Amino acid sequence: MNIIEYLKIPYKHLGRTKEGTDCFGLVQLFYNTEFSISLADFENYAENWATSGANLISKNYKAAGFKPIKFPKFGDLVTIREHKGVVSHLGVVTDNQYFLHTTRDGTCQHSYVAGHWANRVDQFLTYKGK
């Protein structure tokens, strides 16, 4: 895996390619590229769905083939609480302390155990077929 190829992919609502992704689009792209796994997509959703109090990620992760775990490893997902505690963001674990995710500034890598994201971690998920 070459993480550099994922960095700086621009943000694009409902994007699913290297030309642009949202957070679940990045997960789909990563799983397709790294594991040859095509994930089911979430329903079509408005760009600012989380600000309305919706919980799209928590509502759909099981249907997408994921289950909760305690100790993440490469390729597992981390879900993030934002917008008044709503789980509204996710990324892919790249090693034992970092995750790859998409922000409005594009794809980047951050620690999930220190800094801004550490106190926002909701849970870790693994794909049942991985």
Side-chain angles (χ1 to χ4, degrees):
M1 183 202 93
N2 183 1
I3 196 165
I4 294 172
E5 71 182 82
Y6 296 100
L7 294 176
K8 301 296 182 189
I9 294 173
Y11 172 82
K12 180 180 179 189
H13 177 63
L14 296 174
R16 302 295 187 253
T17 68
K18 288 185 180 179
E19 284 72 46
T21 68
D22 58 18
C23 64
F24 191 70
L26 177 64
V27 169
Q28 284 187 310
L29 178 63
F30 187 91
Y31 267 69
N32 193 5
T33 303
E34 302 302 324
F35 303 124
S36 297
I37 295 172
S38 295
L39 297 175
D41 209 342
F42 291 168
E43 300 169 12
N44 191 13
Y45 49 91
E47 188 163 4
N48 295 314
W49 60 268
T51 58
S52 68
N55 205 336
L56 186 67
I57 293 169
S58 294
K59 179 181 171 187
N60 290 297
Y61 74 82
K62 287 180 185 175
F66 290 88
K67 65 180 180 180
I69 54 170
K70 290 189 181 205
F71 304 104
K73 58 190 177 309
F74 175 81
D76 291 333
L77 305 186
V78 56
T79 63
I80 304 292
R81 290 182 308 275
E82 294 185 305
H83 307 292
K84 300 179 182 176
V86 173
V87 176
S88 60
H89 190 53
L90 69 140
V92 180
V93 174
T94 54
D95 68 20
N96 64 353
Q97 295 187 4
Y98 290 89
F99 73 112
L100 186 67
H101 65 122
T102 298
T103 68
R104 298 285 179 179
D105 296 326
T107 303
C108 50
Q109 184 177 29
H110 288 106
S111 172
Y112 60 81
V113 298
H116 174 79
W117 300 100
N119 64 350
R120 297 172 180 235
V121 170
D122 174 61
Q123 66 180 335
F124 298 100
L125 305 169
T126 195
Y127 185 69
K128 296 175 186 177
K130 184 171 70 129

